[in-house]
Amino acid sequence: MKNMITFHKSIAFFAAAAVLTFSACKKEKNEPDDDAHEHENEEITTVKLTFTNAVTPAEKVIATWKDMDGAGGAVPQISNIVLKANTAYLLSTELLDEHKNPADNITNEIQEEGDEHRVFHLFFANADAPVKDSLTTAATVTALDKDSKNLPIGLQVHMATKGAFKGYFRMVVRHQVTGKDGTYAPGSTDAQTEFPIEIK
């Protein structure tokens, strides 16, 4: 992604360091929709994950990452995630810029440009582990939203937890202008964070 700004921060959870990276791109209004257009950098101050129990919708778990003063300031505020084992959840992901009033919902940008984006939700035993070490034993994650080619976007997913688990939950927004095929590999990362998670 052109002119992408990334912010790197580390914070200790469960005696391990979780690396957080954020950036986003926004298409200029009235620009031609082609690969040659420039992108305006958009700041992300807040990531909000909402886990809704699929059987009992009133039961929700909300986890947030928030950093209002940007890179070099105070460490971000990050929620711990605690979910039930052997339970189905509907997970929605929101990306916000709360410097603006009302907050700018960057999620809408991802949805509108779904053919170029894929949101991944991954489980790891250790913080900042390589993608190849993501686990399938903690839960099954299935995207519910699709792009114009019927490929997953991933802002809305069905998550079925399995047995007990304690580790890290990573949310990654991949920008895949060319080669989007439903897998992680194509493109580059727009936004990434890890939350401590326990399933019990």
Side-chain angles (χ1 to χ4, degrees), residues 47-51 61-65 81 91-94 121 169 171 193 195:
V47 174
K48 180 179 178 182
L49 304 178
T50 302
F51 301 81
V61 174
I62 298 175
T64 59
W65 177 98
I81 300 171
L91 168 60
S92 64
T93 298
E94 291 182 85
H121 301 89
F169 183 69
M171 184 284 305
T193 189
F195 294 76

Side-chain angles (χ1 to χ4, degrees), residues 24 36 43 49 53 71 85 129 138 157 186 189-190 198:
E43 183 174 7
L49 304 178
N53 189 309
V157 304
T189 295
D190 273 352
E198 185 173 6

Side-chain angles (χ1 to χ4, degrees), residues 32-46:
D33 188 14
D34 58 40
D35 291 339
H37 68 65
E38 293 292 332
H39 289 81
E40 176 184 288
N41 293 316
E42 188 73 45
E43 183 174 7
I44 295 174
T45 64
T46 307

Side-chain angles (χ1 to χ4, degrees), residues 14 51 59-63 79-85 87 89 159 161 165-167 169 195-200:
F14 304 130
F51 301 81
E59 182 181 308
K60 297 179 185 293
V61 174
I62 298 175
S79 304
N80 291 352
I81 300 171
V82 180
L83 302 178
K84 293 180 178 179
T87 302
Y89 291 93
M159 177 183 294
T161 61
F165 173 77
K166 190 173 184 179
F169 183 69
F195 294 76
I197 188 169
E198 185 173 6
I199 299 173
K200 59 183 182 178

